[in-house]
Amino acid sequence: MFKKILIANRGEIALRVIRTCREMGIKTVAVYSTADKDSLHVRFADEAVCIGKPSGADSYLNIPNIMAAAEITNADAVHPGYGFLAENAKFSQICADYGIKFIGPTPSMINSMGDKVTAKETMIKAGVPVVPGGHGLLENVEQAKSIAKEIGYPVILKATAGGGGKGMRLVWEEGQMENAYNTAKIEAAGSFKNDGIYLEKYVEEPHHIEIQIAGDQYGNISHLSERDCSIQRRHQKLVEESPSPFMTPDLRQRMGDAAKKAAQAINYESVGTIEFLVDKHRDFYFMEMNTRIQVEHCVTEEVTNFDLIKEQILIAAGRHISGKDYEPKMHAIECRINAEDPYNDFRPSPGKITTLHTPGGHGVRVDSHVYAGYVIPPYYDSMIGKLITVAQTREEAINTMYRALSEYVIEGVKTTIPFHLQLMQNDDFRNGHFTTKFLEGFKLK
Ligand code: ADP
């Protein structure tokens, strides 16, 4: 087993990894930017190394500084968390070159799922259903028009290097194509330094349902059932839950098998997630694979009773997994508590948290790195933490969530708590009647 793990990340996920390492008797090294010197991950780790100035490029994306920190502290493994370098094949390769274990997949596995066009091609070969559309990158607007005509409007233009819900353009009819094509390309180049775009059928009123999988170094793959992430704003997840209210035993079996097939196709090692869109007929389509731990992993932990960070570390250290699949035994919901103003178009609201009261009690879990007096820096994402509740039934988990949200006091910055409180009282949400379009018609009181 590893003796010392360096965590190449910040915020709640850095703390999350430190917690599991403590329980496993593994020493930890935190790295931090100058903006994060007062962060809990710095205080809770056994050692901490400053790796640069606030901007991501100068610190959490600065590979030479992170490798230097690993060398001087004698770390024998690196956990990348999510975001930053988590899906960076070059970083995974450099760790291997230094003889430091990257807790995640190999560079070739990351590459085969790294850009969406390559991932889609790999899935087609593996026999996993994908969203209908053209093969490969678009060469020009004429080609886009002809593919769209063939598969039928509406269609969606997506950046092959896209992520975080950015770089997508919906096209309802041919007249909009030229404009959409040009802006999508410019946006992709600006956001991802890669202007490759592709086209696929726009699935109307879909559910976003993803399958958590784990694979070991010997070809065994298990799935740990689904998470429903359909509650999204501008393609970004706000609430996740497991099981999905839209799930049936038959659909879980089919999606679970497809997810395992997808992972097998690239001999996947580590924990990972296969994201699907599911239409109203319960037909599902591969969208992408995330080759890392995800923000919403906690809901799966609560319903299957696995510590997914521990699984990830054990797999990296060479342990065998059973290849068995796991059904949800409970119902869990997660609300992302962000420093954003839900009454002002969810505008980020960084600043100092003056008062903090965190909820507790039966069935409540809070994964957060903040404390009273903590200053949320403006340089990174605006997540304050994740509030997760678990109960026997969905209704009880929602009731517990409402109760816990009502107890949560965060003063000094605006938060998404008022939004979540209203969502938990919404009849359609409570009845499980929602798709990824749900929030478009949702008005805050
Ligand atoms: P990202 O990597 O930026 O998160 P995804 O490919 O995972 O992008 O898509 C994010 C969200 O965008 C999905 O959850 C879904 O709501 C929407 N979306 C993506 N592709 C389609 C599609 N073909 N039809 C309908 N909605 C889509």
Side-chain angles (χ1 to χ4, degrees):
M1 183 40 67
F2 308 116
K3 291 196 173 54
K4 201 189 264 186
I5 295 179
L6 179 141
I7 299 128
N9 216 302
R10 63 178 298 282
E12 72 85 18
I13 192 63
L15 204 53
R16 170 75 191 81
V17 177
I18 291 170
R19 284 177 167 149
T20 289
C21 289
R22 276 260 157 97
E23 290 169 11
M24 295 176 77
I26 301 171
K27 293 261 184 275
T28 51
V29 181
V31 293
Y32 63 98
S33 74
T34 50
D36 277 339
K37 67 177 188 340
D38 297 322
S39 279
L40 283 191
H41 78 283
V42 177
R43 293 195 204 174
F44 284 7
D46 295 298
E47 292 168 71
V49 182
C50 182
I51 49 165
K53 294 205 201 89
S55 88
D58 287 333
S59 52
Y60 301 103
L61 292 168
N62 185 332
I63 297 178
N65 287 8
I66 293 170
M67 295 319 294
E71 288 245 285
I72 56 169
T73 56
N74 259 323
D76 50 3
V78 168
H79 194 297
Y82 51 68
F84 296 118
L85 297 170
E87 290 174 294
N88 185 311
K90 190 173 136 209
F91 182 56
S92 165
Q93 182 61 55
I94 291 171
C95 288
D97 295 344
Y98 272 66
I100 294 172
K101 181 71 186 172
F102 177 81
I103 301 176
T106 63
S108 73
M109 295 171 199
I110 298 176
N111 274 334
S112 61
M113 289 294 174
D115 82 83
K116 296 183 181 195
V117 165
T118 310
K120 233 177 138 173
E121 298 292 313
T122 312
M123 290 305 108
I124 292 169
K125 277 198 212 110
V128 175
V130 302
V131 185
H135 287 222
L137 293 174
L138 291 171
E139 276 157 28
N140 51 50
V141 66
E142 292 314 318
Q143 188 196 16
K145 283 182 183 165
S146 91
I147 298 169
K149 194 173 251 164
E150 205 180 297
I151 61 173
Y153 287 90
V155 298
I156 187 165
L157 296 170
K158 296 171 76 169
T160 187
K166 291 197 203 79
M168 281 176 250
R169 273 276 176 290
L170 187 54
V171 190
W172 289 95
E173 38 146 40
E174 192 170 292
Q176 301 173 331
M177 183 61 91
E178 184 142 1
N179 198 1
Y181 180 91
N182 292 331
T183 45
K185 251 189 137 46
I186 292 167
E187 210 172 280
S191 304
F192 313 112
K193 295 197 180 98
N194 175 346
D195 74 349
I197 58 170
Y198 66 105
L199 178 151
E200 63 188 23
K201 179 90 187 149
Y202 179 67
V203 182
E204 289 185 73
E205 316 233 337
H207 296 252
H208 173 123
I209 301 179
E210 56 190 35
I211 305 283
Q212 175 72 52
I213 59 106
D216 65 18
Q217 299 177 15
Y218 318 99
N220 304 303
I221 300 195
S222 293
H223 83 70
L224 289 78
S225 295
E226 77 281 2
R227 293 184 286 262
D228 192 312
C229 312
S230 302
I231 300 293
Q232 307 179 343
R233 186 180 163 273
R234 301 203 178 142
H235 307 305
Q236 289 184 31
K237 300 164 186 171
L238 281 170
V239 176
E240 302 95 348
E241 63 180 298
S242 183
S244 164
F246 195 61
M247 193 45 74
T248 64
D250 169 65
L251 181 61
R252 182 176 294 129
Q253 173 90 45
R254 288 187 289 129
M255 290 183 73
D257 288 348
K260 288 173 78 168
K261 204 150 81 171
Q264 251 139 19
I266 59 163
N267 293 316
Y268 190 71
E269 164 201 337
S270 192
V271 302
T273 300
I274 323 285
E275 295 191 338
F276 294 100
L277 286 177
V278 184
D279 70 15
K280 57 178 183 236
H281 310 293
R282 291 195 169 78
D283 288 327
F284 60 88
Y285 310 96
F286 170 88
M287 210 169 19
E288 66 169 334
M289 176 169 186
N290 291 312
T291 54
R292 55 170 161 82
I293 194 80
Q294 280 186 288
V295 174
E296 60 271 25
H297 73 277
C298 314
V299 296
T300 301
E301 294 187 323
E302 295 304 318
V303 299
T304 61
N305 216 8
F306 275 103
D307 175 334
L308 286 173
I309 301 290
K310 185 173 173 185
E311 289 303 308
Q312 213 180 4
I313 293 171
L314 290 173
I315 288 168
R319 97 109 156 224
H320 284 79
I321 63 167
S322 69
K324 251 174 67 181
D325 302 324
Y326 298 87
E327 302 248 315
K329 294 195 201 79
M330 303 287 279
H331 197 103
I333 302 187
E334 169 179 285
C335 288
R336 296 193 189 195
I337 312 299
N338 296 336
E340 291 170 1
D341 182 358
Y343 290 99
N344 208 339
D345 207 22
F346 287 79
R347 186 187 298 171
S349 173
K352 184 171 184 165
I353 295 178
T354 51
T355 308
L356 177 72
H357 174 77
T358 304
H362 185 56
V364 177
R365 167 175 171 179
V366 180
D367 276 25
S368 170
H369 59 295
V370 309
Y371 52 87
Y374 176 77
V375 179
I376 300 165
Y379 311 103
Y380 316 108
D381 68 34
S382 55
M383 193 152 70
I384 294 176
K386 305 179 300 196
L387 176 58
I388 303 116
T389 61
V390 58
Q392 295 276 348
T393 65
R394 182 168 189 271
E395 188 183 5
E396 290 168 307
I398 293 174
N399 291 343
T400 305
M401 182 60 81
Y402 185 77
R403 186 272 291 170
L405 286 163
S406 321
E407 289 174 15
Y408 216 155
V409 179
I410 304 172
E411 285 172 4
V413 297
K414 301 269 198 276
T415 78
T416 47
I417 292 172
F419 160 80
H420 289 299
L421 277 167
Q422 290 184 33
L423 181 68
M424 294 304 133
Q425 291 173 291
N426 179 281
D427 286 340
D428 287 332
F429 177 74
R430 294 187 70 95
N431 293 328
H433 297 150
F434 56 84
T435 68
T436 61
K437 304 267 98 188
F438 180 77
L439 289 186
E440 286 177 18
F442 187 80
K443 287 270 171 303
L444 266 190
K445 286 198 267 299

